[in-house]
Amino acid sequence: MLPVAAEKKDLNPSTSIKYDAAPTCATCHMSATKELPITHEIGDRISWTLRPPVSEKIDAKKRGKVKSWEARRDDMKKVCSACHTSTWVENFYVQFDGVVNLYNDKFAKPGVGMMKFLKTEGLITKTGFDDKIEWTWFYLWHHEGRRARHGAAMNAPDYVQWHGLFEVAERFYTELIPEFEELLEKADHDGKKDVAKRGRILLDEILSRPENAWFSGKEPEAVKKARLKAQEEFRKRYAQ
Ligand code: HEC
Ligand code: HEC
């Protein structure tokens, strides 16, 4: 059995279930297992970095010079395996990677592209946080996007969904995109027609992707129909 915080031997004394085997921060990130020594390098078992606007594998910038993300992940799996079966652990990583990749590809990379465009074309200033859209973008990746990613890393579904991807999506579709469009309109008014046109091409390319087609209305008719049918069946099933 791995060490757990001694004072938390029984996290829920009001029930008969004993939670004393549930891991703490130190159990997963630092403690020794049968195969692994104790470590104080808390990045040692982490494969992604969940901090930047777009997540990347932790060794991406120093590949070959530091412990690889694969080796770090293998070590974390050894920790999990002290308590869980390998299927359980493999499935966890499928879900975790799924959330990080979804966040990255659907929201973060397009967001980075839009913000870069605004800055290099001079539609926002070089000073950070003096334009509204910079606050919008910061909330998206730094607050909501990080919550979703960390929630997925450490089994907090409420943070993945309601405090995470739900808010990321709301921020992206109802704030970031409209504010980007407003800045293009302003550019038009200021006589920067060429810049505005290029901005619209960029946005159009993003919104034409399959994952955004529901929003831009560019979904094929068959997909729209299937969606409506599924909604109808859901309502019938739950008598709503
Ligand atoms: C059940 C095991 C487990 C527990 C308990 C746990 N973590 Fe984690 N933690 C993980 C895993 C798995 C990841 C993602 C690893 C990866 O990227 O491959 C992670 C990622 C992180 C990250 C992200 C690091 C980065 O830069 O992206 C932080 C920070 C973190 N944990 C802190 C904590 C803290 C603080 C606690 C206690 C409150 C804690 N962890 C408890 C397993 C755990
Ligand atoms: C010290 C033993 C221990 C370790 C180590 C451990 N777990 Fe767990 N894990 C538990 C226990 C106990 C529960 C049930 C907790 C509960 O029901 O409150 C649990 C629950 C879970 C759940 C279900 C969460 C949910 O919401 O139902 C997942 C997924 C999970 N662990 C994955 C992992 C992964 C991945 C690792 C390694 C990064 C890990 N665990 C490490 C003991 C451990």
Side-chain angles (χ1 to χ4, degrees), residues 82-149:
C83 302
H84 296 293
T85 62
S86 61
T87 320
W88 185 260
V89 177
E90 292 305 326
N91 286 344
F92 161 81
Y93 276 100
V94 171
Q95 274 195 322
F96 175 37
D97 287 347
V99 169
V100 177
N101 286 323
L102 176 84
Y103 160 82
N104 267 357
D105 296 339
K106 188 167 177 183
F107 303 108
K109 287 178 190 168
V112 166
M114 285 155 70
M115 294 308 290
K116 219 181 208 169
F117 177 85
L118 295 175
K119 210 166 240 179
T120 51
E121 298 297 343
L123 300 190
I124 58 173
T125 68
K126 288 204 168 67
T127 310
F129 297 103
D130 63 338
D131 290 284
K132 177 154 194 328
I133 198 165
E134 291 175 306
W135 292 79
T136 302
W137 170 235
F138 192 69
Y139 270 113
L140 193 159
W141 73 264
H142 184 270
H143 291 56
E144 296 142 0
R146 268 195 190 160
R147 281 201 293 267
R149 286 173 282 168

